[in-house]
């Protein structure tokens, strides 16, 4: 009569297999994450093979099967942990944890957009979607968009890199060119991450420009040969060249005025002495032929 302690060989094979895989992962720089998720089903296979081989060897002999309790508990623990790993992996939690440990923060350049502005276009409308924006002028008929973005990403995160190639879209309708800046994706789960952009746009100096919905707009025109309209922007900073002598700067429904030695002509919108309340204000240079109009902003700063 032959006695077989089921589990002894399986536990030994499990230890040998795990040790070999861990050694190979160190020598050949294998991904330990993949190994831990993949190796455990082999233990169940070894255990089944152990029982089948025992029954085949004993044949018709009367055999007694005993179980090595410690080995069975060990194998059960390994199997349970493996199933838990597989379940967590199927829910994407393991990938999120791995992503968190491999995440890093960098500042990179956005792809530059350089296009010829059609002669029929006399107006550019920019939808900034809360992206900080610097606007400057150029004497050519080209317009260009460039900048940087700061993001948290892992080596396997291709979504951010793809979105940076598509962060801006343009569409012409009649005499107006519409430019839309898209925000980069964010994670809103427990593994929170964000991306921010800072964009600069150069536009021809004889084209009217409108900007809507941005966190901050810095306006740096070289010459003032066109009109600017900035609406629903939290903070607006206007730098006028020293030679500017025919400009009307209007701030409508704003709360805070900063900047230049030139005095704002302020008109409160309500009968109140609160200096932080909404107000209308303007600064006029010369005849004020070209206008810079700022609507519904929190802060306007002017430097000349």
């Amino acid at each position: 009569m032959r006695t077989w302690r089921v589990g002894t060989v399986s536990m030994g094979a499990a230890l040998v297999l795990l040790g070999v895989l861990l050694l190979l992962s160190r020598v050949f720089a294998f991904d330990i994450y993949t190994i831990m998720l993949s190796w455990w089903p082999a233990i169940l296979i070894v255990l089944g093979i152990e029982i089948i081989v025992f029954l085949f060897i004993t044949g018709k002999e009367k055999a007694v099967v005993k179980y090595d309790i410690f080995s069975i508990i060990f194998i059960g623990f390994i199997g349970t942990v493996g199933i838990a790993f597989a379940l967590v992996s199927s829910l994407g939690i393991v990938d999120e944890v791995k992503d968190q440990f491999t995440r890093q923060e960098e500042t990179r350049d956005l792809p530059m957009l350089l296009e010829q502005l059609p002669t029929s276009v006399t107006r550019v409308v920019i939808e900034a979607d809360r992206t900080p924006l610097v606007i400057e002028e150029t004497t050519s008929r080209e317009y260009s968009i460039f900048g940087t973005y700061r993001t948290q990403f892992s080596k396997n995160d291709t979504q951010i890199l793809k979105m940076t190639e598509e962060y801006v879209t343009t569409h012409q309708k009649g005499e107006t060119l519409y430019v839309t800046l898209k925000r980069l994706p964010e994670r809103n789960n427990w593994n929170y991450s964000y991306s921010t952009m800072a964009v600069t746009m150069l536009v021809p100096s004889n084209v009217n420009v409108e900007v809507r919905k941005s966190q901050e707009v810095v306006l740096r025109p070289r010459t003032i040969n066109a009109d600017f309209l900035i609406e629903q922007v939290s903070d607006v900073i206007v730098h006028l060249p020293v030679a500017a002598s025919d400009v009307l700067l209007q701030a409508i429904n704003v709360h805070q005025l900063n900047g230049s030695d030139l005095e704002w002509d302020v008109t409160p919108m309500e009968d109140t002495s609160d200096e932080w309340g909404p107000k209308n204000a303007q600064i006029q240079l010369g005849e004020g032929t070209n206008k810079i109009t700022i609507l519904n902003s929190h802060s306007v700063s002017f430097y000349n």
Side-chain angles (χ1 to χ4, degrees), residues 89 128 140 144 223 227 299:
S89 178
S140 68
S144 59
T223 60
D227 295 335
S299 171

Side-chain angles (χ1 to χ4, degrees), residues 45-302:
I45 297 173
V46 171
L47 179 60
I49 292 175
E50 179 183 355
I51 297 174
I52 293 174
V53 169
F54 166 68
L55 294 177
F56 177 78
I57 292 176
T58 56
K60 297 182 180 180
E61 297 180 17
K62 189 175 182 180
V64 176
V65 177
K66 293 185 178 181
Y67 294 91
D68 188 331
I69 300 301
F70 176 77
S71 299
I72 295 299
I73 292 175
F74 175 78
I75 294 172
F77 173 76
I78 294 296
T80 302
V81 172
I83 294 173
F85 268 125
L87 178 61
V88 171
S89 178
S90 67
L91 296 175
I93 298 177
V94 174
D95 291 335
E96 292 289 339
V97 173
K98 181 184 177 184
D99 180 77
Q100 181 66 29
F101 281 104
T102 60
R103 185 170 296 276
Q104 56 186 345
E105 187 170 342
E106 286 189 9
T107 300
R108 295 185 173 186
D109 292 329
L110 289 165
M112 181 176 181
L113 174 67
L114 178 62
E115 299 285 346
Q116 188 74 21
L117 189 67
T119 55
S120 59
V121 172
T122 60
R123 174 172 170 257
V124 174
V125 177
I126 306 169
E127 293 283 352
D129 195 14
R130 290 187 280 176
T131 298
L133 178 64
V134 176
I135 300 176
E136 298 188 9
E137 290 182 328
T138 176
T139 56
S140 68
R141 284 296 295 181
E142 293 179 335
Y143 71 93
S144 59
I145 303 174
F146 54 93
T148 60
Y149 70 98
R150 187 165 184 83
T151 184
Q152 294 178 330
F153 70 99
S154 66
K155 63 180 181 180
N156 296 321
D157 194 349
T158 59
Q159 184 182 18
I160 292 291
L161 298 179
K162 181 180 179 181
M163 283 297 297
T164 57
E165 300 293 333
E166 305 170 352
Y167 75 98
V168 58
T169 59
T170 60
H171 175 70
Q172 182 181 348
K173 186 69 174 179
E175 62 182 14
T176 302
L177 176 70
Y178 294 92
V179 178
T180 302
L181 301 176
K182 304 176 183 178
R183 283 190 295 172
L184 298 179
E186 298 180 356
R187 294 176 183 264
N188 293 320
N189 54 15
W190 66 274
N191 188 15
Y192 177 76
S193 66
Y194 66 94
S195 301
T196 58
M197 295 192 302
V199 178
T200 297
M201 182 171 182
L202 302 184
V203 295
S205 58
N206 59 348
V207 174
N208 297 328
V209 177
E210 296 182 16
V211 184
R212 303 168 182 167
K213 298 179 181 178
S214 175
Q215 178 181 352
E216 179 184 84
V217 169
V218 178
L219 183 60
R220 294 178 177 272
R222 296 181 181 178
T223 60
I224 304 295
N225 296 320
D227 295 335
F228 292 87
L229 174 62
I230 302 175
E231 184 177 3
Q232 296 183 17
V233 175
S234 178
D235 298 307
V236 181
I237 302 174
V238 180
H239 294 268
L240 287 184
V242 176
S245 58
D246 194 14
V247 180
L248 175 62
L249 174 60
Q250 295 177 309
I252 301 174
N253 191 24
V254 301
H255 289 261
Q256 185 176 351
L257 301 169
N258 304 304
S260 176
D261 293 335
L262 298 176
E263 292 187 3
W264 291 89
D265 182 8
V266 180
T267 303
M269 294 183 61
E270 301 175 356
D271 185 14
T272 177
S273 59
D274 183 7
E275 62 175 327
W276 304 110
K279 58 182 71 70
N280 298 335
Q282 68 176 29
I283 293 178
Q284 181 170 333
L285 303 177
E287 298 296 326
T289 304
N290 299 115
K291 296 180 180 179
I292 300 175
T293 304
I294 302 168
L295 301 176
N296 305 322
S297 295
H298 172 72
S299 171
V300 177
S301 301
F302 169 62

